[in-house]
Amino acid sequence: MDDAVRAGLSGAADTALVVPVPESEPVIGDHRRQFDVSAQWGLPPHVVVLYPFVPPGQVDDLVCARLAEVLAGEPAFDCTFAETAWFGGDEVLWLRPDPEEPFRRLTHAVHAAFPDHSPYRGAHGDPQPHLSIGTRRLGDLAGLRAAEEEVRRHLPVTTRVDRVALMAGRRDPGSWRPATTFPLGG
């Protein structure tokens, strides 16, 4: 494992595999910083592939090689985020990816290769792919509804999904950072 990956994992308590969606930053970035704890921790706008992933101290050359092999077997794809949605009625505001099936395939492929690491520790069964904007835990419903109205005016957001990032960090402000990325197949 190269020094840059080691540095990205250093001091981290958790890892996550995510698809960064930088194209969404101008549309949802301010709202995420206000309403989404993962933004406060330093995670970019993203769709989760697998969280939690392998503990940072157990990420080694074999884990990275297996992950690279699995992800290279999944094709790159284009994705559009054209609508907002809510979890829990009005608890969590998010963007729906279209198509969502390729994200599900990524999660299933990685979980099959690393069966000891279930998505969200198995708390959500087959998790819904999504790009979080915010939660009522960090704000009020009126603020989230206003964010939703503003975000809708700037949709759709489109992106090319051609890689997955291994991120590492703690539940501390600004602590999450990329350790490495893995390209998807052509």
Side-chain angles (χ1 to χ4, degrees):
M1 186 165 45
D2 69 27
D3 290 340
V5 176
R6 277 190 197 87
L9 295 167
S10 177
D14 288 306
T15 64
L17 293 170
V18 303
V19 172
V21 185
E23 297 84 354
S24 70
E25 178 64 30
V27 177
I28 66 171
D30 289 341
H31 305 297
R32 286 186 71 244
R33 283 184 284 283
Q34 181 178 359
F35 296 115
D36 184 2
V37 71
S38 76
Q40 296 170 7
W41 293 342
L43 283 152
H46 64 276
V47 177
V48 170
V49 172
L50 191 64
Y51 172 81
F53 187 54
V54 174
Q58 295 175 20
V59 175
D60 59 16
D61 287 334
L62 291 174
V63 167
C64 289
R66 179 68 179 127
L67 194 52
E69 176 186 5
V70 167
L71 293 171
E74 296 296 323
F77 60 96
D78 294 317
C79 180
T80 301
F81 297 87
E83 66 178 291
T84 59
W86 291 84
F87 290 130
D90 57 8
E91 292 298 317
V92 179
L93 175 63
W94 51 280
L95 292 178
R96 182 182 308 278
D98 182 27
E100 64 182 47
E101 187 54 35
F103 291 106
R104 291 183 189 281
R105 283 196 311 268
L106 288 171
T107 297
H108 291 144
V110 173
H111 182 229
F114 298 90
D116 292 341
H117 304 283
S118 296
Y120 301 102
R121 294 184 175 92
H124 304 293
D126 186 19
Q128 167 70 51
H130 65 282
L131 198 165
S132 293
I133 298 171
T135 177
R136 275 182 65 184
R137 252 187 349 206
L138 296 181
D140 61 18
L141 182 56
L144 276 175
R145 292 270 184 219
E148 180 180 32
E149 295 252 342
E150 184 177 329
V151 165
R152 283 182 173 172
R153 287 195 299 271
H154 300 285
L155 296 177
V157 171
T158 59
T159 190
R160 176 81 176 153
V161 177
D162 61 2
R163 64 192 61 252
V164 172
L166 173 63
M167 305 281 299
R170 299 175 310 280
R171 292 177 179 234
D172 295 327
S175 70
W176 282 80
R177 61 195 168 278
T180 191
T181 60
F182 299 92
L184 298 180

